[in-house]
Amino acid sequence: MVHSYFFRMIFLSSGACMVEFSFMWLSLCLSTPQQLVGVVGLEIHAQINSSTKLFSGSSVCFSAPPNSLVSFFDASLPGTLPVLNRRCVEAAVMTGLALNCNINRKSLFDRKHYFYADLPAGYQITQQRQPVAEDGTLTYSLLEGKKRSQVIRKNVHIKQIQLEQDSGKSLHDDVHSQTLIDLNRAGVGLMELVMEPDMSCGEEAAAAVRELQLILQALGTCQGNMSEGQLRVDANVSVHRPGEPLGVRTEVKNINSVRYLARAIDYEIQRQIGILQRGGTVQNETRHSLPISLTSAASFFRFMPEPNLPPLIVYEDNASLPAGIDACQAVVVQKIKEGLPELPSIKRDRLVQTYGILPEHSFTLVNEDGLVEYFEAVLMATKKEPRKVIGWVTNELLGHLKQQDLSVSQSPISPPALAELLELQETGHISSSVAKQVFQKMWRSPGKTAAQITQEHDLGLVSDTAQLHSICQKVVDSHPDEVGTPNILNKLMGLVQKETKGRADPVLVRKILQEKTS
Ligand SMILES: Nc1ncnc2c1ncn2[C@@H]1O[C@H](COP(=O)(O)OP(=O)(O)OP(=O)(O)O)[C@@H](O)[C@H]1O
Ligand SMILES: [Mg+2]
Ligand SMILES: [Mg+2]
């Protein structure tokens, strides 16, 4: 008997890996010629962003009640036939184009057999012989150096992108010795991206997956939420000495956080190095938390052509459509190419070139959904230089957002409101330290403008010469011994600012203090 069960998994967050990995795993990415080094190849299952499944009209929704989104075809009732979802094909073609793949004008569907309760047909429809896209490249970057300002670009080859169905979900209830099945996910469209073993450590794999995640999100072909299983990674890991043939690989399946991916790979590399150094041999095995261990030998799966689906044909352009085929019903590569959005790497380069910001800032901007748009909206409303605005966006704003676990769209300070604050500083109405105080107060009282807060709390710049003269005199008089010592000016300036709570006009104060101490 099949029981229904809904199981919401809790996984580690997948955020901002670019910032976190560089140093921790750097040592594993480097080697001398005789050392054993890691070799990593990833298979990535990306859930296609479509409202319906790959071969049926059932809806796709992560949090629906168990077994509420299951058509007769999804449950493999006899006599039901697959109907290919054009949206899913378009998504795979678009992803292939963004990753510089060759798009096969004709691709084929196959059955891959395995027996498991969450796969009621006993086989999965996939593309083993001729996938929709092949032979592409993913370019990703590592940030290195003390200030993480050195951008190292790397490539990983994409062997193929294939369309396939997802399985259902099984949950093993040990207490009652039963398996609970939810078929809501059964038949959801996936793109499996198979990468060549071009990476060498967890940090590289994590950076590649993060870049892919950003690309898929920019394309809109996959939402890329790893904690909801929309992006699942199988990591194939081996070790060898450079120049020698690749070693035996093990596979860590179904990894659903970028952070865990890096850790799992580096742990596995170290484990294999340990085995070889002790004189042992690495076994070809699957190391994962799933209850079964599938062998990856192709013969095990008894692949066969899917008899219920004709070859999948895509067309180069409208001119190549055969007579009688409606352009709206066909997948036309040229049309998809024209609709490709700006990809993250292009966006970063544009930000660096247009605004003169540092590469590491362009990574921070692009990593955070909506932050580029926020930054550009602030720039539209202020005359302040982009290089001065960037720190406010990546430090003040992002810092506050992260602290409260908010997204950019939830920021209590809108781009025009921040621009107004920066204008007050730029035009000399408030000092830079006061600007930070005003920012905090704006954060806490949304709706209040920077000017209102400055006025209410009397934070305007003090530039009254007589008033500043008397404050400076007081400060100089209270430090008679130090006048004439090196760096005294900076110290006295600090004391004047303390006296005025950061409101004194720094240019005037410096001038007055110079006169008084010379
Ligand atoms: N020696 C190796 N070390 C590390 N990775 C490897 C090595 N050889 C192959 N790989 C990687 O293993 C993966 C093989 O994936 P592929 O989909 O072709 O087959 P599979 O793992 O046998 O099948 P399945 O899709 O059922 O998991 C690729 O990502 C490839 O880069
Ligand atoms: Mg595979
Ligand atoms: Mg595999």
Side-chain angles (χ1 to χ4, degrees):
M1 183 180 169
V2 174
H3 298 260
S4 67
Y5 193 91
F6 177 60
F7 178 39
R8 184 189 278 268
M9 283 175 267
I10 300 166
F11 298 116
L12 286 170
S13 138
S14 63
C17 78
M18 289 297 297
V19 185
E20 289 170 33
F21 290 113
S22 264
F23 295 117
M24 282 201 242
W25 283 281
L26 195 60
S27 59
L28 272 168
C29 297
L30 303 171
S31 70
T32 55
Q34 289 319 304
Q35 268 177 344
L36 284 164
V37 296
V39 173
V40 181
L42 303 178
E43 295 161 81
I44 301 178
H45 291 94
Q47 184 183 312
I48 297 171
N49 189 15
S50 163
S51 54
T52 54
K53 296 185 181 179
L54 183 57
F55 298 119
S56 80
S58 310
S59 301
V60 176
C61 175
F62 177 72
S63 52
N67 292 316
S68 62
L69 308 174
V70 187
S71 70
F72 290 149
F73 176 79
D74 305 327
S76 308
L77 260 62
T80 55
L81 292 169
V83 179
L84 182 58
N85 178 343
R86 183 167 46 86
R87 294 273 175 163
C88 293
V89 179
E90 285 169 346
V93 169
M94 187 180 235
T95 305
L97 289 171
L99 296 171
N100 309 300
C101 291
N102 295 326
I103 306 299
N104 282 327
R105 298 299 172 255
K106 175 177 158 187
S107 61
L108 303 168
F109 289 100
D110 304 286
R111 290 182 179 183
K112 177 181 182 176
H113 294 81
Y114 60 96
F115 297 98
Y116 204 58
D118 58 24
L119 188 76
Y123 60 82
Q124 171 196 33
I125 303 179
T126 179
Q127 295 197 297
Q128 198 240 354
R129 288 166 298 161
Q130 205 160 314
V132 66
E134 282 176 291
D135 197 15
T137 318
L138 168 71
T139 303
Y140 64 97
S141 300
L142 297 175
L143 294 182
E144 285 179 6
K146 248 193 184 158
K147 288 187 166 171
R148 306 181 44 73
S149 54
Q150 208 182 330
V151 180
I152 314 249
R153 274 181 214 259
K154 303 217 166 191
N155 288 322
V156 47
H157 291 98
I158 310 281
K159 185 173 170 233
Q160 66 188 57
I161 300 177
Q162 67 209 36
L163 279 164
E164 61 185 39
Q165 300 169 293
D166 208 345
S167 60
K169 269 188 203 169
S170 300
L171 188 89
H172 305 279
D173 177 353
D174 290 337
V175 180
H176 302 98
S177 299
Q178 60 186 0
T179 295
L180 304 164
I181 306 290
D182 177 6
L183 289 181
N184 281 354
R185 210 182 61 181
V188 168
L190 299 177
M191 299 178 268
E192 179 176 337
L193 294 99
V194 184
M195 296 181 178
E196 298 288 2
D198 295 339
M199 290 159 284
S200 61
C201 62
E203 185 203 2
E204 288 185 2
V209 169
R210 178 67 182 133
E211 187 67 13
L212 177 69
Q213 192 181 30
L214 288 172
I215 291 172
L216 297 175
Q217 286 167 342
L219 298 173
T221 57
C222 167
Q223 290 176 7
N225 182 340
M226 293 185 86
S227 62
E228 289 190 6
Q230 290 163 350
L231 206 61
R232 307 192 289 267
V233 183
D234 298 347
N236 296 271
V237 179
S238 66
V239 297
H240 77 148
R241 291 194 169 75
E244 292 184 1
L246 294 185
V248 174
R249 71 173 155 125
T250 60
E251 193 168 356
V252 189
K253 283 213 178 251
N254 277 316
I255 301 173
N256 37 39
S257 115
V258 173
R259 198 180 305 218
Y260 177 64
L261 170 72
R263 285 207 194 119
I265 289 172
D266 289 342
Y267 174 84
E268 186 54 20
I269 292 172
Q270 291 305 346
R271 191 189 70 88
Q272 292 185 14
I273 289 177
I275 290 175
L276 294 182
Q277 282 173 344
R278 288 191 299 274
T281 49
V282 175
Q283 302 296 318
N284 174 221
E285 59 183 335
T286 303
R287 305 179 66 78
H288 59 116
S289 53
L290 290 179
I292 50 156
S293 184
L294 296 172
T295 162
S296 51
S299 59
F300 175 86
F301 293 119
R302 296 189 298 114
F303 280 103
M304 62 173 268
E306 165 58 55
N308 292 329
L309 284 164
L312 164 59
I313 308 289
V314 301
Y315 299 95
E316 183 54 41
D317 46 30
N318 279 347
S320 52
L321 284 174
I325 298 230
D326 181 357
C328 296
Q329 296 300 316
V331 175
V332 180
V333 175
Q334 187 58 33
K335 208 165 76 189
I336 297 173
K337 224 179 245 174
E338 284 160 14
L340 279 176
E342 184 178 45
L343 295 177
S345 60
I346 308 284
K347 196 178 260 186
R348 286 187 207 106
D349 291 347
R350 174 175 68 78
L351 291 167
V352 169
Q353 274 166 19
T354 314
Y355 303 119
I357 59 171
L358 297 171
E360 58 264 38
H361 284 144
S362 73
F363 275 91
T364 311
L365 285 181
V366 172
N367 253 335
E368 208 58 46
D369 197 20
L371 201 57
V372 173
E373 291 74 15
Y374 189 104
F375 173 64
E376 294 190 312
V378 175
L379 291 181
M380 296 271 283
T382 171
K383 289 190 260 326
K384 209 173 171 72
E385 264 182 61
R387 280 154 67 140
K388 290 187 187 162
V389 175
I390 189 72
W392 280 92
V393 173
T394 56
N395 296 330
E396 254 64 38
L397 178 81
L398 196 57
H400 277 73
L401 289 172
K402 292 266 174 224
Q403 220 169 27
Q404 295 183 11
D405 205 15
L406 296 176
S407 66
V408 175
S409 60
Q410 293 170 314
S411 166
I413 300 181
S414 69
L418 177 58
E420 189 201 320
L421 167 66
L422 299 184
E423 276 299 295
L424 284 182
Q425 188 200 341
E426 193 64 15
T427 49
H429 286 83
I430 54 173
S431 69
S432 57
S433 65
V434 164
K436 288 191 181 155
Q437 294 175 39
V438 175
F439 182 91
Q440 286 179 7
K441 290 192 198 310
M442 286 168 77
W443 192 270
R444 286 194 297 269
S445 38
K448 277 204 178 154
T449 68
Q452 282 168 343
I453 289 174
T454 306
Q455 200 177 20
E456 260 175 41
H457 296 267
D458 192 21
L459 291 169
L461 199 71
V462 177
S463 41
D464 180 275
T465 318
Q467 194 184 350
L468 288 179
H469 257 288
S470 93
I471 297 170
C472 288
Q473 194 59 52
K474 203 172 109 194
V475 167
V476 169
D477 289 348
S478 55
H479 293 80
D481 299 342
E482 292 178 46
V483 174
T485 58
N487 288 333
I488 184 63
L489 203 60
N490 287 343
K491 185 172 177 190
L492 294 178
M493 284 202 46
L495 290 168
V496 172
Q497 290 300 3
K498 203 170 158 199
E499 226 15 61
T500 58
K501 296 202 174 73
R503 293 167 51 216
D505 180 340
V507 179
L508 263 179
V509 171
R510 178 172 284 273
K511 201 168 141 242
I512 297 170
L513 284 175
Q514 265 166 347
E515 283 166 16
K516 291 193 186 297
T517 56
S518 58

